[in-house]
Amino acid sequence: GDSVTQMEGPVTLSEEAFLTINCTYTATGYPSLFWYVQYPGEGLQLLLKATKADDKGSNKGFEATYRKETTSFHLEKGSVQVSDSAVYFCALGANTGNQFYFGTGTSLTVIP
Amino acid sequence: DAMVIQNPRYQVTQFGKPVTLSCSQTLNHNVMYWYQQKSSQAPKLLFHYYDKDFNNEADTPDNFQSRRPNTSFCFLDIRSPGLGDAAMYLCATSEMGGLGYEQYFGPGTRLTVT
């Protein structure tokens, strides 16, 4: 079945460091891929998405490229800020049915 | 702004006392979802509605029920909460299921069972 495997955390970085959070997927067909962010005590917010191979999603300095050949959708940011501290979830939207598959989440803490 | 609203944000109930969580949306989306999220875990889908069509996940306990009286509102009923049901409950909507249609989440209701 469809699934998402996400890099385990927690991840701790200094401000202005480069961030990569790995995400790989298994799917039949052509899913859509998403990154969601969850700040403490809040719901999930869509950070970025890509709906087909080679699409690049970007938002707030974060980027991720849908790579079919490596079945990956890694999240990157060139220079993290303290305000980026949150939990990041990679997710897959199956193209059959109304199913979403979440990764286990990666907790990021950015220290000044 | 169009949004997903959950009330209350924090709910305390007693062991075995029925509780209802509510969700409303102004997005006019036809799919609504309920997730349970425990600390440091990914959200776990409990069930979803595609319009009035109810879809229960196979491992959702019978203790959890849902109602969707109209497009805008959806309720989660926990008939006899146990200590293990303490969690964040997230409501989400999408325009349609599947390809390209992201889910929009509410802020969640944190349920405490005493």
Side-chain angles (χ1 to χ4, degrees), chain A residues 55-88:
Chain A
D55 267 3
K56 178 187 281 188
S58 61
N59 185 25
K60 299 181 181 178
F62 291 90
E63 292 183 341
T65 301
Y66 186 163
R67 299 204 185 280
K68 194 169 188 296
E69 64 276 14
T70 55
T71 61
S72 66
F73 193 56
H74 305 321
L75 182 68
E76 297 182 335
K77 186 174 185 182
S79 176
V80 293
Q81 305 299 313
V82 172
S83 57
D84 294 326
S85 299
V87 179
Y88 292 82

Side-chain angles (χ1 to χ4, degrees), chain A residues 3-86:
Chain A
S3 66
V4 173
T5 301
Q6 187 174 343
M7 182 176 104
E8 290 193 16
V11 173
T12 302
L13 294 173
S14 297
E15 205 165 23
E16 299 184 3
F18 184 85
L19 169 72
T20 300
I21 302 178
N22 290 337
C23 173
T24 58
Y25 69 90
T26 302
T28 54
Y30 303 96
S32 292
L33 300 171
F34 306 87
W35 277 101
Y36 280 84
V37 58
Q38 186 175 33
Y39 298 102
E42 298 185 12
L44 276 69
Q45 300 175 27
L46 179 68
L47 181 59
L48 52 85
K49 72 173 185 179
T51 58
K52 61 183 186 298
D54 300 325
D55 267 3
K56 178 187 281 188
S58 61
N59 185 25
K60 299 181 181 178
F62 291 90
E63 292 183 341
T65 301
Y66 186 163
R67 299 204 185 280
K68 194 169 188 296
E69 64 276 14
T70 55
T71 61
S72 66
F73 193 56
H74 305 321
L75 182 68
E76 297 182 335
K77 186 174 185 182
S79 176
V80 293
Q81 305 299 313
V82 172
S83 57
D84 294 326
S85 299

